Every structure is written in structure tokens, then in C-alpha cells.
Amino acid sequence: MILDKVRESFVERFGKDFRLFSAPGRINIIGEHTDYNNGFVLPAAIDKCIYLAIQPNGSEAYNIFSVDFQQATTFSVADTAEDLPHWAKFPFGVIQELKNLGHYMGGFNAVFGGDIPSGAGLSSSAALESAFAYAIRNIFNFDIDNLTLAKIGQKAEHNYVGVMCGIMDQFASIFGKQGHAILLDCRSLEYKYLPIKIDDYEFVLADTKVKHSLASSEYNRRKWNCEEGVMMLSSQMPQVRSLRDVRSKDVYPYKGILGEEVFLRCEYVTEEIERVVQAADAIDNGNLQLLGELMYQSHEGLRAKYHVSCDELDALVEATKNIEGVLGSRMMGGGFGGCTINLVRKDEVSTFKELVSTYFTNKFGYAPDFIEVNIGGGAREVVLS
Ligand code: GLA
């Protein structure tokens, strides 16, 4: 088990004195590309995590070993991120962002590893940021609340990885709660835990196993498209500060001003924000049929209006349409690869996998992976008995 590997590896390199932390990846039921538009999202933390063993070392050096990459690195706070291995940019960024907030810390030794499939859109990077932010706060006794920890992770991603992401992934990783989704209002950052009452159904992830290289540049482009849209819409409707302030039906009249591309982006985002609210109600009321329909609509918007899907994701969704016991399916996360999330009746899961796999394999010549996840808790210290 990865947790044991992390512990053993720490002992081997740095001795047996350490504390252990974990931070989870996430799924997102609905609400894609709405977080950086001040909208709603509906993610949940999963039981797949980054595990981090860590101990202050009384020096200025940060010595970190990645079990998954079998690679060690050492840096100090005065270094730059450029020469670091990609995975080390995440802890480096977190340390820099803490420093920017006035939290100075000495060095530490750390070993980490995880069981979140990377590139699958389950936010292994946010989990890594959250694990370091949470652990550093605890081992150095910094007076920092959980929301600030999530924001530190997000800023690390902006400034040291170059993806201008929203707050959803880091928030879910820090605030996750067993058995619950989080209905998060990304404008006020108020949130509500929503018990996932889906009874005879479960969420099943299907992984395309592709990650198109476009992902981060196109992600940032979508964000600029939305900002452009807000600028133009606010010149017509002065109360508009973000796409959250616009109803979907109020976008169409401005199509001419927005131009085709920006219009489609704004229409998708405003519709998706409305879908999240409906989906949360549907879960609350046990209306899984409606939840499933909203998931299909979300995918259609991501494909045809937001243009962040790809052939492999579309095929995974398409394949589900005539399968008994599947209520909904959509791509999940930033897009251009990764997983779909599917709402499937428990007794149909194995048929679902078989049929989707056959359909996909016929098209692309290889089989998708299916990932089983349970809804787990947020970042925490792992206390060993
Ligand atoms: C990535 C980002 C999130 C969010 C999703 C799309 O996971 O990190 O902030 O924007 O894409 O919903």
C-alpha cells in the first residue's frame, strides 16, 4: 500500500521521526468551468489521496522525495522554480505563497506518494498542494484557517505551474466530508454539505487515458474568453461583475456584441451555473432522473459551446446513451482528456463497463479504464495506531 511505502521510504532516508498527512483528489458531480466565473460547483473528495510524511530539519533546506517518480530534490526558499522537476513546483509554490503571507519556516524533510491516477482529472495536483499546505501549517503551528490553505494551493498553481485555475479542487481537497458533496458558491465561498443520497445508484468514472497537451493553454484561453465576455456584458448591464451575475436567457440578446466564440462561452457558463443549483435540488429531492439529464446537458455544453471535450470523451458519453440503468454521463474536470463521470444503477455497473469498453475499443483500439471511488474526507493528519 502506498501509505506504507511513504512511511518506509521516509525512515530509510531521514529516520523514524515524522508526522503523516493526507489530502484527497476529487470528483465533480456538475459545475465545470464555473468556479473561476464566481459560479457554483458540486465536487466531492474521494478516498484516493496524496500521503505525506514530513519533519522539520532545523536547516534552510527542503529535501523532498517523490515515491511515485522515485526522484529526490532539494531547494531553498531563495531558489527559483525553473530548474525543479515538475512535481516539485507544487510544494515550492506552496512554500513561496506562505512566505508571501508572512509565514517563514525553516526547512523540512518530506516524502510523498499517492494513489490518485494522474492525468485522469481527479486533481492530483490540488491534492499535492493541499497536503503540503495543510502539513506545513500543522507542523509549524501557523495560525492559518482552512480557506486560506485552499487559496494558497490555488495561488501556487497560478504562479508556479501556470494554470489560472479556480478554487474548486483545492477547496474540495481541504473541506471534503465523507459521504457528502460540497455545494460551493465560488463568489461568497459559502458552502453547504449535501448528503449524497443516490441509493441504488453510484458514480462510476471511465478514463480515456489521454491527456491532450492543449489542456493548460486552452484552459487559460477559456478564462480570458469569459473575462472578455464580462467586460462586454458589463458595458451593457453595469451591475454585471462576473458571469454569475448574468442569467443564461440574458446572454442571447448580446450575441452580436459578444461575437460567436465569446457568446458560446458565456452561454455555456451561465447555463451550467443554473444547472448546478438544479442538480443540488435534484439530489436533495432524490430526483436522480433529473440529475442524470443535467449531467448529459452539461456534457453537451462542454462539447458544443465551451469546446473543451475531445473525441475520446465524447465517445465515452455517447456509448452510455442506450445502456439500461445509466442516468447521466459527462466529461469531468478541465477537459481535453481524463475521465467521464457516470451515474449508473449498481446492478448494471458490470454491463455498463462491458458495453462502454467495447464501444470505445472499437473506435480507438484500446480499452478505457474504470475507476472506483468512494466519497471520502478532506485533508487530515493520519494518526498511526
Ligand atoms: C480544473 C481546475 C478547476 C476547474 C475545473 C473545471 O480542474 O483546476 O479550478 O476550473 O478544471 O471545472
Side-chain angles (χ1 to χ4, degrees), residues 5-111:
K5 277 198 203 151
V6 168
R7 291 165 55 188
E8 283 158 20
S9 188
F10 191 97
V11 174
E12 213 172 274
R13 283 163 186 273
F14 304 117
K16 54 184 172 29
D17 234 6
F18 60 87
R19 286 167 70 183
L20 198 58
F21 296 86
S22 70
R26 60 106 189 89
I27 56 169
N28 186 24
I29 298 172
I30 198 163
E32 226 60 90
H33 291 273
T34 48
D35 57 355
Y36 54 83
N37 285 302
N38 277 353
F40 291 98
V41 289
L42 194 55
I46 57 176
D47 59 351
K48 299 196 184 302
C49 297
I50 295 285
Y51 296 96
L52 169 64
I54 186 165
Q55 182 70 6
N57 60 18
S59 80
E60 296 293 306
Y62 301 96
N63 304 314
I64 310 180
F65 179 72
S66 158
V67 171
D68 303 317
F69 293 96
Q70 286 293 303
Q71 193 179 24
T73 192
T74 294
F75 57 79
S76 81
V77 76
D79 287 340
T80 56
E82 274 101 79
D83 301 330
L84 296 176
H86 184 69
W87 57 262
K89 293 186 175 24
F90 300 90
F92 182 83
V94 166
I95 291 165
Q96 297 296 336
E97 294 302 335
L98 280 162
K99 191 183 106 193
N100 293 344
L101 291 178
H103 299 290
Y104 289 90
M105 74 214 82
F108 56 68
N109 300 329
V111 171

Side-chain angles (χ1 to χ4, degrees), residues 224-243:
W224 298 328
N225 281 163
C226 294
E227 282 165 9
E228 251 180 277
V230 170
M231 231 162 61
M232 293 190 257
L233 289 169
S234 64
S235 71
Q236 307 298 313
M237 299 182 274
Q239 79 283 7
V240 169
R241 300 215 148 64
S242 69
L243 290 179

